[in-house]
Amino acid sequence: MRRLVLSLLLAPLLCLVGLAAPASAAPVIQEFTVNGSSTDLTLQPGEELDVVWDVTSTETPTVTATGTGWSGTLDPSGTQRVAGPEAGESLTFGLETTDSTGTTSATTITVTAQDEPDGVTPPPVVVQGCTVVVPRSDSFDYGLAYFGDTEDTEPIEAGTYRASSLTFGGNIDVTIVAEPRADVTVADGAVTTWDVPSGEDCQSELFSVSTAPCSFTVRCWPGASVNWPSARSASPSP
């Protein structure tokens, strides 16, 4: 009889225990990406970023954007476009979520921008024996400097030249200079000058240049005199 009474008294308590609500689970960050990546990444400077997130919870969660890249209160899920870091800098994008019981989940992604290039290196002038090849470039113009005066140059077109046609049979020291165009920064340590061969092996070549005031061609041999303006309108050899 006593056991029956005890069982009747304990039954309601057991039912209450069975009906008690389970402990709240931590909010789950189902998705958090920056430009499609869930891990740290490196991008070009100034690139715009798409941040995507999705949070689930048994309780209504509070979702917060943290870090140096963005801030504020967010919906449980969404997409936001933000500005990326500048060259050589990093931004941190954090996501923190807390439910009504105070249970928290958090994650972060760091985005780093590549350093700006130190400058542009000009395509090199190629010297092959007594042949000189002047390249084409969108960032540089090429000029002829006489007697080492690289501050005063005359334009030279891209193309292939006989060395003797540029040095007047080896009688004049000539340097080809790569000159940066507007808004172009030359890379530190970049080679921007090339000496034209003027040795004996290149002195015996015939060459032709068009004179500035006239349209006829002057052919010269080593030691021959030429009209100086004609040297300043050198054209590629055929």
Side-chain angles (χ1 to χ4, degrees):
M1 184 67 180
R2 290 181 180 178
R3 291 182 179 179
L4 177 60
V5 173
L6 183 60
S7 298
L8 293 174
L9 293 174
L10 293 177
L13 296 176
L14 293 174
C15 292
L16 291 175
V17 171
L19 294 176
S24 176
V28 176
I29 299 176
Q30 298 285 359
E31 180 181 9
F32 183 55
T33 62
V34 177
N35 280 19
S37 175
S38 59
T39 59
D40 296 347
L41 68 161
T42 301
L43 301 173
Q44 295 294 325
E47 185 173 338
E48 288 191 324
L49 308 175
D50 288 321
V51 185
V52 179
W53 69 97
D54 183 25
V55 175
T56 60
S57 174
T58 57
E59 300 286 340
T60 302
T62 298
V63 183
T64 306
T66 63
T68 57
W70 65 341
S71 62
T73 302
L74 305 170
D75 292 332
S77 63
T79 300
Q80 190 174 129
R81 175 162 289 188
V82 297
E86 297 300 323
E89 297 180 353
S90 296
L91 292 176
T92 300
F93 294 86
L95 189 72
E96 183 177 283
T97 176
T98 305
D99 64 17
S100 59
T101 67
T103 307
T104 299
S105 295
T107 186
T108 61
I109 298 174
T110 299
V111 179
T112 302
Q114 296 177 344
D115 289 331
E116 291 281 7
D118 295 332
V120 182
T121 299
V125 172
V126 179
V127 178
Q128 300 172 331
C130 295
T131 300
V132 178
V133 181
V134 179
R136 301 183 186 278
S137 175
D138 294 331
S139 301
F140 293 85
D141 294 313
Y142 291 81
L144 297 174
Y146 301 99
F147 304 107
D149 185 7
T150 57
E151 298 299 323
D152 182 18
T153 63
E154 295 295 335
I156 183 172
E157 297 178 358
T160 302
Y161 297 82
R162 291 188 292 267
S164 58
S165 69
L166 304 176
T167 62
F168 300 96
N171 293 324
I172 295 177
D173 293 331
V174 178
T175 301
I176 298 178
V177 181
E179 300 172 322
R181 295 179 182 175
D183 300 326
V184 173
T185 301
V186 182
D188 292 340
V191 176
T192 58
T193 61
W194 298 266
D195 293 330
V196 178
S198 58
E200 293 181 359
D201 292 341
C202 299
Q203 291 180 3
S204 60
E205 295 181 328
L206 296 177
F207 67 95
S208 63
V209 292
S210 299
T211 60
C214 305
S215 60
F216 60 86
T217 298
V218 178
R219 295 187 178 276
C220 304
W221 284 262
S225 61
V226 296
N227 185 11
W228 177 253
S230 67
R232 300 195 173 198
S233 58
S235 299
S237 61

